[in-house]
Amino acid sequence: MRSRIAIAAAGLSLAAASVAQSPSPRSAWVSPGTNGSPIDGTVFHAQVLLDAAGFPAGVIDGKPGMSLRKAIEGFQEARGLDKTGKLDVATRQALLSQNRASTVMVRLTPDQVAGPFVYPFPKKPEDQAKLPALSYRNMLEKVAESFHTTPETIVALNGPKALIGPGQTLRLPNVLAANRDYEG
C-alpha cells in the first residue's frame, strides 16, 4: 500500500513539474481558470459539456486544439447552429443549457486506484509488448484516463500537494455518466 502511495506521490511530483508556468521550481500553484493557470476555464468547461453531450473533444485539459474545433463543429451541426468550429455566443448558450458544472469532487474508491502498475514504463513498443498487460504507470495516470484528462490537468485542478489514493477526494472533470448501471 505504501509503495502505491509513494508511486502516486512521485507521479504527482512529476506532473506538477510539467505544469509549472515558470522555470523556477518554486513557482506557486495558480487556481484553474485564473490568470497564470495552464487551464483556460472557458475551454475546459466547453470540453466537459461537449463530452457530456456526446461530442468528445479529446483530452479534457482546458487547451484549444483541432479535436475541440471538430467537436464544436459536430455539436453545432447537430443543433442546427452555424458551423463555425468556434465557441460563439449561440454555441456557448446551447452548451450551457445542460446546466452541468465543469468539475466534480470525487472520493476515490479502491477500485479507481487499484493496480497493477508498471514503473518505470518501457519507452520502446517492443519492450511494452513483453509486459503481461499494458498497465498504467501509477494511480494518477489511471484516474486521469478515467476522467478523460491528463495527470498534469489533475495536478492543475487540485494543486501539487493533493494526495491520491483510496478515500482521497479530488476535483476532477465532470464527465462520468450520472447512471453507471450499464447492464440495466
Side-chain angles (χ1 to χ4, degrees):
M1 181 66 167
R2 288 182 187 227
S3 65
R4 287 183 180 173
I5 293 172
I7 290 170
L12 277 171
S13 296
L14 289 172
S18 68
V19 226
Q21 290 296 300
S22 68
S24 167
R26 296 179 189 251
S27 63
W29 175 71
V30 178
S31 181
T34 60
N35 194 18
S37 170
I39 296 176
D40 178 316
T42 301
V43 171
F44 185 89
H45 198 191
Q47 289 170 326
V48 167
L49 294 173
L50 285 161
D51 191 276
F55 297 88
V59 66
I60 296 174
D61 59 2
K63 298 174 184 168
M66 182 176 60
S67 295
L68 175 63
R69 185 175 49 79
K70 291 294 187 185
I72 291 170
E73 286 176 359
F75 178 82
Q76 289 168 331
E77 184 174 358
R79 295 297 196 287
L81 302 170
D82 290 338
K83 193 174 161 184
T84 64
K86 296 181 180 175
L87 283 172
D88 53 41
V89 173
T91 303
R92 289 177 72 178
Q93 286 176 343
L95 284 169
L96 291 171
S97 71
Q98 294 178 68
N99 198 27
R100 184 182 190 107
S102 61
T103 61
V104 63
M105 297 304 289
V106 176
R107 185 179 173 120
L108 299 174
T109 66
D111 287 344
Q112 286 176 305
V113 292
F117 301 108
V118 175
Y119 190 84
F121 197 81
K123 291 183 181 185
K124 296 180 181 178
E126 57 269 21
D127 293 336
Q128 293 173 16
K130 294 175 188 172
L131 294 172
L134 194 55
S135 303
Y136 297 102
R137 290 172 180 85
N138 53 48
M139 289 185 271
L140 179 61
E141 187 177 75
K142 183 176 181 181
V143 171
E145 179 75 20
S146 299
F147 286 84
H148 312 178
T149 192
T150 64
E152 295 81 11
T153 301
I154 292 176
V155 171
L157 288 171
N158 294 280
K161 293 182 181 179
L163 299 177
I164 187 166
Q168 297 296 329
T169 301
L170 293 177
R171 181 179 180 195
L172 297 166
N174 188 9
V175 294
L176 292 181
N179 180 357
R180 302 205 50 190
D181 179 15
Y182 299 119
E183 293 180 22

